[in-house]
Amino acid sequence: MTVVGPFGLSVRDAALEADILAGLAAVEEGLLAATKSDVPFITEAAQHLVHAGGKRFRPLLTLLAAQFGDPHAPGVVPSAVVVELTHLATLYHDDVMDEADVRRGVPSANANWDNSIAVLTGDFLFSRASHVLSDLGTEAVAIQSEAFERLVSGQILETIGPRDGQDPIDHYLEVISGKTGSLIAVSGRLGALLAGADRETVATFTRYGERIGTAFQLADDVLDIASDSDESGKTPGTDLREGVPTLPVLHLRTLAERSGSAEDRALLELVEGDLHDDNRLAEALAGLRAHEALAQARRDTVRCAEQARETLAPLPAGPAKDALSHLCDAVVHRAG
């Protein structure tokens, strides 16, 4: 058993391991090539998060999906580069919106330079993703365009909040389906499509990506509270401190309303208050770690990962299918 890539996927087949490792190395080369500009400063800013590393979850899924066609087809690695460039671009914009100071263990672009540079660098990455995408065919362009629309719509929905009468948890799941699930679904979909897989396989990866993408984000939500380290690439409690209503917090609100207990209300008041003081943040984290709300969020993560695993049923048995199943376990393990 070998651990492949920054995400830590277990691969138990030597040929598959070699293919994925070679593919990920080619993706890194493609990312560096795509983020290079004739202007040195633009290169520095655009490669800031590339050099910081990351889980490369989306390219990994692209490469695994390609195993169900021709994994060495010329469009496979470029499509993995496209989805990762798009993801990186959203991180630059997210950090501006969230006023984040750290990303992947290094200063965020907006902290390193300023908001304008961060936004413009994100735009530069979007343009480079479009340039690479333009060589992959009209269907690939249409797929990416649809996902980008959903991604932006998810961000807007998050910004405006739930509709009147909408359950906040349902709203949140709708948001992350757009913000996270859409691009992860495209990762598998493009990998299968450009490897020449049949239509049913391409559709399977679209469904799988949506579900594992949701599980992936929910695991991040849990990790933001449960981790004592910077496993998520951000300082633990970052989302909490910034007032981001992640799933554990939404469950806490629901449970506090239902129970009416003084303890739940006090914890909710603390969590929704000003957490810029380190002691108050530590107290909020400790309270949530011991609360049923976090346990419920973990169960939701496991459920979504299991739903992703179930979508794999139509795929032929083999090392690649096993790896995709293990990927579901890896996502859940992050929230463990």
Side-chain angles (χ1 to χ4, degrees):
M1 181 176 70
T2 304
V3 173
V4 171
F7 189 74
L9 172 68
S10 296
V11 174
R12 303 177 182 181
D13 179 85
L16 177 61
E17 174 196 342
D19 245 10
I20 298 301
L21 286 173
L24 288 172
V27 169
E28 290 302 311
E29 292 179 8
L31 288 172
L32 290 174
T35 51
K36 189 173 182 180
S37 167
D38 292 337
V39 181
F41 177 79
I42 296 177
T43 301
E44 179 187 1
Q47 293 185 350
H48 180 64
L49 289 184
V50 176
H51 289 308
K55 295 174 280 293
R56 301 295 189 254
F57 182 78
R58 293 155 188 82
L60 176 61
L61 180 53
T62 303
L63 298 173
L64 284 171
Q67 294 292 322
F68 294 85
D70 175 7
H72 306 121
V76 172
V77 167
S79 67
V81 171
V82 167
V83 293
E84 189 66 8
L85 282 174
T86 304
H87 171 57
L88 289 172
T90 66
L91 297 184
Y92 281 82
H93 287 183
D94 282 352
D95 286 344
V96 171
M97 295 183 68
D98 298 340
E99 300 180 355
D101 295 325
V102 176
R103 170 68 69 175
R104 296 181 172 177
V106 300
S108 61
N110 48 301
N112 214 32
W113 294 288
D114 59 33
N115 284 347
S116 295
I117 293 297
V119 169
L120 292 169
T121 303
D123 292 345
F124 176 79
L125 293 178
F126 281 132
S127 71
R128 285 302 174 91
S130 297
H131 180 73
V132 176
L133 183 65
S134 66
D135 290 330
L136 300 181
T138 56
E139 185 173 4
V141 171
I143 288 170
Q144 174 75 355
S145 298
E146 178 186 339
F148 190 55
E149 178 185 345
R150 289 187 57 207
L151 193 158
V152 174
S153 296
Q155 184 66 69
I156 292 171
L157 287 174
E158 181 180 55
T159 302
I160 65 176
R163 298 181 294 275
D164 288 344
Q166 184 181 21
D167 180 84
I169 292 177
D170 289 343
H171 171 263
Y172 181 67
L173 293 175
E174 184 181 1
V175 165
I176 63 175
S177 176
K179 282 187 60 179
T180 304
S182 62
L183 190 58
I184 291 179
V186 164
S187 302
R189 189 176 178 184
L190 286 181
L193 176 71
L194 292 167
D198 60 65
R199 289 291 168 179
E200 182 181 352
T201 298
V202 174
T204 294
F205 275 101
T206 303
R207 293 189 295 270
Y208 174 80
E210 285 276 352
R211 287 163 176 75
I212 202 168
T214 298
F216 185 86
Q217 182 57 56
L218 296 185
D220 264 3
D221 288 359
V222 171
L223 200 59
D224 184 65
I225 292 167
S227 175
D228 285 321
S229 69
D230 59 353
E231 293 174 63
S232 64
K234 300 184 294 186
T235 304
T238 295
D239 289 337
L240 201 60
R241 174 170 269 164
E242 293 169 358
V244 178
T246 57
L247 189 64
V249 174
L250 293 173
H251 277 311
L252 174 61
R253 287 178 187 171
T254 299
L255 291 169
E257 290 172 2
R258 289 177 180 172
S259 71
S261 77
E263 292 82 2
D264 285 356
R265 289 198 303 271
L267 178 57
L268 182 61
E269 183 177 349
L270 173 65
V271 165
E272 294 185 332
D274 186 348
L275 295 178
H276 287 89
D277 177 80
D278 288 344
N279 291 329
R280 286 179 61 82
L281 178 63
E283 183 182 352
L285 286 170
L288 279 168
R289 287 168 182 167
H291 199 276
E292 169 63 18
L294 184 61
Q296 180 62 58
R298 281 197 175 101
R299 290 193 292 271
D300 292 339
T301 304
V302 171
R303 186 186 72 253
C304 288
E306 286 304 314
Q307 289 173 346
R309 198 193 316 270
E310 290 168 5
T311 66
L312 297 173
L315 298 179
K321 184 175 181 178
D322 291 342
L324 290 162
S325 181
H326 295 153
L327 197 58
C328 298
D329 297 326
V331 165
V332 169
H333 177 72
R334 298 174 66 237

